[in-house]
């Protein structure tokens, strides 16, 4: 029974490390997309996906450190990413962030 627990712990550690490497490569490719994106919507999607990947990276870090104190950080990244996406999409749709009707 003890060997099965050791094996499962090592398997989880290896899968977490592989996931961290995959997310890190994804972040590098998304950073390239944000810098060199052909259109502004491509850049907006890249920024949104960077936020999602940062949430995943924080979750994997919490798994490695065996803590749940990073859950607040994950929620904060999600909220800020959502607000940023809404702001960028409103800017791309109308060209302004704050409408000022001076009728």
């Amino acid at each position: 029974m003890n060997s099965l627990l050791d094996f499962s712990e090592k398997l989880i550690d290896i899968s977490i490390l592989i996931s961290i490497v995959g997310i890190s490569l994804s972040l590098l490719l998304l950073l390239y997309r944000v810098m060199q994106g052909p259109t502004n919507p491509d850049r907006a999607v890249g920024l949104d996906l960077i936020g999602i990947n940062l949430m995943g990276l924080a979750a994997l870090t919490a798994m490695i450190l065996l803590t749940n104190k990073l859950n607040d950080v994950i929620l904060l990244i999600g909220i800020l990413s959502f607000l940023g996406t809404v702001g960028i999409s409103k800017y791309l749709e109308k060209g302004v962030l704050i409408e000022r009707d001076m009728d």
Side-chain angles (χ1 to χ4, degrees):
M1 185 69 173
N2 219 2
S3 64
L4 184 61
L5 289 175
D6 290 338
F7 174 73
S8 63
E9 186 176 330
K10 287 186 188 278
L11 187 65
I12 289 173
D13 288 342
I14 290 171
S15 63
I16 287 174
L17 288 176
I18 290 171
S19 299
I20 287 175
V21 169
I23 289 176
S24 299
L25 289 175
S26 175
L27 281 171
L28 288 175
L29 292 173
L30 285 169
L31 190 62
Y32 173 77
R33 174 55 58 201
V34 168
M35 297 292 198
Q36 302 292 327
T39 62
N40 284 334
D42 289 333
R43 291 183 173 105
V45 170
L47 283 173
D48 191 33
L49 289 174
I50 285 175
I52 292 170
N53 282 340
L54 285 176
M55 287 170 56
L57 204 58
L60 290 172
T61 304
M63 292 169 107
I64 287 175
L65 297 176
L66 297 174
T67 183
N68 58 0
K69 302 210 185 277
L70 291 177
N71 290 344
D72 295 337
V73 173
I74 294 168
L75 290 173
L76 183 66
I77 292 171
I79 291 169
L80 291 176
S81 177
F82 173 74
L83 290 176
T85 302
V86 168
I88 290 172
S89 64
K90 183 170 177 168
Y91 173 75
L92 290 176
E93 184 68 27
K94 294 184 178 181
V96 293
L97 285 178
I98 300 172
E99 296 178 17
R100 296 184 183 186
D101 294 332
M102 302 295 236
D103 292 334

